Amino acid sequence: MPEPLLKIRDLHVGYGKKPILRGATYDVLPGECLTLLGANGSGKSTSLNAVCGFVTPTSGSVLFDGTETAGLPPHKIFGHGIAQVSQARDLFPDLTVEDNLRLGAMRRGGKALSQTLAHVYDRFPRLAERRRQATRTLSGGEQQMVAIGRAMMSGPRLLLLDEPSGGLSPQFCEEIALIIDALKAEGVTLLMVEQNLNLAFRAADRFIVLRDGAVVDGGDVRAMAGDHDAIVRNIYL
Amino acid sequence: MSQTKMPSARQRRLRSWLFWAVPAVLLLLPLATNPYTQFIANGILISVLVTLGFTLVIGNLGQLAFANTAFFGIGAYASAILAAKLGVPWLLTIPLAGAFGALGGFLASSAALRGIRSYYLAIITLAFGELMRWAYLHAKPVTGGTDGMPMPRETLLGTSLSDDTLKFYIFLAVTVLLVKATLNLMRSRFGRAVMAVRENEVATASLAIPTARVILVTFMWSGFVVGCAGALFARHVGHVFPESFGMLHLIASFAMVLVGGLGSVLGAVLGAVLLTALPEYLRAFPGMEELFFGLIVAGVLVAMPMGLASLLRRVSPIFVERFYREAP
Ligand SMILES: Nc1ncnc2c1ncn2[C@@H]1O[C@H](COP(=O)(O)OP(=O)(O)OP(=O)(O)O)[C@@H](O)[C@H]1O
Ligand SMILES: [Mg+2]
C-alpha cells in the first residue's frame, strides 16, 4: 500500500446545529480516482467542500500529503495543490473562455502558464476554437470542459470533481472518462462525486459509499464489476 | 451581443499609434483657441481623469462606491494647502495630491473590505463625501472654511502658472500619462482579476486570487488618479471652495461615466469630453440649458445603454477594450 495522498480522519462537518458528516474516515491514494457515492443530501458535496476549505470542519483531520489542511482558508488549500470543480461550476459567464482559464492560474505566469494553457487546449480542442467566446454562450458540456480546464490550469495534485456528468449526455460522459484517464496518466489524483454509475465505475479505481455522514461501504471498482445492483441497494435503500 | 470581436494584431498596432496621435494633435490646440475655449479645454482634461477614476471602481470593479468626489476634493485641498501653506511648488503637489487621494481610496475600500456591498456601500461612501465637505467648511485654519483656499502665484520657466496655455500642456501631459498607466494596468493580469471580482467574488477567491488586495489596489489607484485631477483643478480655478465638491459634482461625474460607457476607459474620455463641453454650447439657449442637457443625456442612454464607447466599438474592433464586458 502506498502512503495515501489525502487522509481523512473522523471528519465532522455541520451547517449550524445540523450535522452532515459524522466521523467520515477514508483515504485517497496517489494517482487513483476515488468515487464518492451516496443518496442526494448524504453529504458528498459537503465532503469535497471540507477538503478544499469552502466549509470548515467542526472536528477531525484532513491531511494532504502530510499537511493538516482542515481549517485553512480556500486560497491556502488551493496553494497546496487542491483544486475543485464544484457542482455549480462557478465560472465567470461573461468572460471569455481564455480569461476563465487564465484566472485558474493567476499565481503563475509567463512560460509555465502559456505551456499549461496550450496543454489544456490540446486536451479540449473545442475550447481552443471558442477561446474568445463569452463562456455563457457555450453548451453545458463545453462549460464543464472550461471548469475542468480551469482547475487544471493551477497544476493541481488533487482534483475534486463534483458530478462532472451532471446534466450531460452519455457521449459527454465518455469524454469525461477519457479526460480522467488522461489526468491520471499525468499523475493527478482525483476525488470524484458521481451519480452516474456507468461513469463512476468506468473512470474510478475505488469507490466509497456515504450514509448518515459516515462511510458505510467501499471497495475496488473492478471487483464490483457487473454487480451494480448490490451497490445501488446499499446506497439508496 | 454574444461575441465581441477582438482587434487583430494589425489593429492593435494601429490603436497604439492612434493613442499617441490624439495628444500629438492636441498639442496644436492652443493655436485654435481663444482664452475662453482654452479654459474649457483645460476643464475637460480634468473631467477625463475624474471620470476615469470613477469608472474604475463602479464599472470595472463593480462596487457601488460614490467616494469619487471626496477623492477629488482631497486632492484639490491637498494641493492648495501644500502650495499655499507649505510653499511646495504646485507641480510637485500633483503626485502628492494623488497620494492623498489614494489614502482616501484606502479609507473607502475599508468599507468594501468589511463586506459592505451595494446600497450600503453607496450610502457609506456618500457619507464619506459629505463628511469631507464638512471638514473643508469647519477646519477653517487649514482649509479657509467658507472663504476657501487661494492658490499662490507661481511661475514656471518664466511663465506665470495662471497662463491657460501653459496649464493646458501640463494638464495634457498628466492626463495622457494617467490614462496610459490605467489602460496598461487594466490590460494586465491585474485587470483580469479586477473583472473576475466584479463577476463572481466567491469564485475568484476560491481560485486563490487575493480579492481583498484587488479591491484595495483598485480603490487606491482610482483615488490616486482623481486626487491628481484635484491638484489640476486647484490650479485651474485658482481658488478652492467647499461647494465645488458636493453632490452636483458627483452626479455630473456619474452621468459622464454612464454616457461614456460604464467600465470603459475610452468611455470615460468620451463622456467627460461631451458632458463638460455640452453646457458651454447650451449657453446659447438661456433658460433651457438644464432641459436640453437632461434630454441629451437621456437620449444618449436610451439610444446607447452601453454609452458612446459602444458606438465606436461597433465601428471598429480597434476600440474594443481588453476585459470590457458588453452587457448581455
Ligand atoms: N450551506 C448550507 N447550509 C445549510 N445546509 C446545507 C448547506 N449546504 C448543504 N446543506 C445541507 O447538507 C446536506 C448535504 O448536502 P450536500 O450538498 O453535501 O449533499 P450531496 O450529497 O452532495 O447531495 P446531491 O447528490 O444532491 O448533490 C443537505 O441536506 C443540504 O441541505
Ligand atoms: Mg452534491
Side-chain angles (χ1 to χ4, degrees):
Chain A
M1 267 295 258
E3 183 64 12
L5 182 64
L6 185 73
K7 268 193 207 173
I8 295 191
R9 291 292 174 271
D10 196 27
L11 194 64
H12 288 255
V13 181
Y15 299 103
K17 285 217 161 83
K18 189 168 143 205
I20 304 298
L21 290 188
R22 287 180 273 186
T25 295
Y26 57 92
D27 289 335
V28 185
L29 306 176
E32 77 166 343
C33 174
L34 177 73
T35 296
L36 283 179
L37 301 172
N40 290 118
S42 58
K44 304 183 297 295
S45 298
T46 302
S47 280
L48 298 193
N49 288 338
V51 171
C52 71
F54 289 176
V55 299
T56 311
T58 38
S59 69
S61 146
V62 179
L63 270 185
F64 179 64
D65 201 14
T67 311
E68 182 60 64
T69 61
L72 292 183
H75 68 270
K76 287 262 167 61
I77 297 179
F78 187 89
H80 279 106
I82 299 179
Q84 168 162 224
V85 178
S86 73
Q87 209 166 356
R89 290 177 202 151
D90 264 339
L91 294 172
F92 301 96
D94 285 328
L95 307 196
T96 63
V97 168
E98 178 145 333
D99 285 332
N100 268 277
L101 295 176
R102 284 178 177 274
L103 280 165
M106 270 297 279
R107 286 294 181 82
R108 307 162 72 205
K111 213 156 159 219
L113 189 145
S114 42
Q115 273 173 359
T116 319
L117 189 63
H119 179 67
V120 170
Y121 282 142
D122 272 353
R123 180 117 298 143
F124 303 106
R126 275 141 88 97
L127 298 190
E129 290 161 26
R130 293 163 175 76
R131 64 207 294 169
R132 301 241 178 272
Q133 210 163 312
T135 309
R136 81 185 122 75
T137 65
L138 269 54
S139 78
E142 289 159 357
Q143 293 193 20
Q144 185 66 283
M145 292 179 187
V146 177
I148 297 175
R150 191 180 69 181
M152 286 165 63
M153 287 298 292
S154 63
R157 285 193 290 157
L158 175 66
L159 185 60
L160 313 176
L161 290 174
D162 200 342
E163 302 205 23
S165 78
L168 305 178
S169 70
Q171 289 105 295
F172 195 78
C173 289
E174 181 51 29
E175 234 174 290
I176 299 224
L178 292 174
I179 292 164
I180 291 174
D181 289 344
L183 286 170
K184 279 199 293 190
E186 286 164 25
V188 180
T189 305
L190 292 111
L191 174 57
M192 169 168 85
V193 169
E194 186 50 65
Q195 300 276 19
N196 177 327
L197 289 184
N198 282 327
L199 174 59
F201 287 101
R202 153 77 178 77
D205 301 293
R206 290 190 311 126
F207 72 93
I208 55 173
V209 178
L210 276 180
R211 191 198 285 157
D212 297 330
V215 178
V216 294
D217 194 4
D220 201 322
V221 163
R222 257 156 305 158
M224 300 301 295
D227 196 11
H228 291 189
D229 284 355
I231 296 173
V232 169
R233 241 174 286 127
N234 205 345
I235 300 171
Y236 299 108
L237 301 179
Chain B
M1 205 100 16
S2 61
Q3 196 141 19
T4 314
K5 237 177 144 235
M6 292 289 173
S8 65
R10 215 190 98 248
Q11 284 169 326
R12 281 203 300 273
R13 244 173 293 132
L14 181 64
R15 177 169 66 189
S16 55
W17 184 85
L18 203 65
F19 179 89
W20 295 110
V22 171
V25 171
L26 284 179
L27 286 176
L28 303 175
L29 186 79
L31 298 177
T33 54
N34 60 40
Y36 170 67
T37 50
Q38 187 60 60
F39 182 78
I40 306 302
N42 293 359
I44 289 178
L45 291 173
I46 295 170
S47 294
V48 165
L49 293 181
V50 169
T51 313
L52 178 64
F54 206 177
T55 209
L56 281 181
V57 167
I58 56 176
N60 299 64
L61 189 63
Q63 297 295 319
L64 218 50
F66 292 103
N68 206 62
T69 293
F71 305 159
F72 189 50
I74 290 171
Y77 271 99
S79 173
I81 293 166
L82 287 168
K85 304 244 169 192
L86 303 174
V88 181
W90 169 72
L91 220 43
L92 242 168
T93 71
I94 301 173
L96 293 174
F100 279 99
L103 189 66
F106 171 77
L107 292 176
S109 79
S110 65
L113 292 179
R114 277 164 189 274
I116 297 168
R117 289 289 182 280
S118 79
Y119 305 122
Y120 303 95
L121 184 61
I123 202 73
I124 282 191
T125 45
L126 283 173
F128 177 43
E130 287 307 291
L131 186 75
M132 287 313 301
R133 225 159 56 87
W134 184 88
Y136 310 144
L137 278 170
H138 290 86
K140 204 163 178 357
V142 194
T143 63
T146 41
D147 298 336
M149 286 284 291
M151 291 295 284
R153 287 175 195 287
E154 226 182 289
T155 57
L156 189 71
L157 306 169
T159 311
S160 161
L161 267 177
S162 58
D163 179 86
D164 274 323
T165 308
L166 175 62
K167 278 192 246 178
F168 176 75
Y169 287 122
I170 299 172
F171 290 10
L172 183 65
V174 173
T175 305
V176 169
L177 205 71
L178 289 176
V179 169
K180 183 67 182 160
T182 304
L183 272 174
N184 287 355
L185 184 67
M186 286 301 129
R187 238 176 242 163
S188 70
R189 280 203 285 172
F190 181 81
R192 187 184 290 115
V194 168
M195 193 176 45
V197 167
R198 178 189 65 201
E199 299 285 310
N200 189 339
E201 204 177 326
V202 176
T204 308
S206 74
L207 296 171
I209 296 169
T211 52
R213 200 182 313 157
V214 171
I215 292 172
L216 178 76
V217 171
T218 308
F219 266 91
M220 287 183 71
W221 179 252
S222 162
F224 181 81
V225 170
V226 180
C228 290
L232 304 190
F233 181 74
R235 189 45 89 187
H236 178 57
V237 291
H239 198 128
V240 181
F241 291 106
E243 298 90 90
S244 309
F245 311 108
M247 285 294 169
L248 268 181
H249 180 267
L250 186 68
I251 293 169
S253 326
F254 193 40
M256 290 176 197
V257 167
L258 293 180
V259 163
L262 192 62
S264 155
V265 172
L266 177 64
V269 177
L270 296 175
V273 172
L274 179 75
L275 293 195
T276 313
L278 191 60
E280 306 304 328
Y281 288 103
L282 294 179
R283 275 179 211 280
F285 310 96
M288 308 289 274
E289 290 153 278
E290 284 85 0
L291 177 69
F292 285 161
F293 188 85
L295 283 176
I296 289 172
V297 169
V300 170
L301 289 179
V302 168
M304 294 171 262
M306 298 317 288
L308 296 168
S310 68
L311 192 71
L312 288 186
R313 276 195 295 277
R314 237 166 288 151
V315 172
S316 163
I318 289 184
F319 299 108
V320 173
E321 284 162 64
R322 191 94 182 83
F323 305 139
Y324 177 80
R325 176 186 66 161
E326 189 86 55

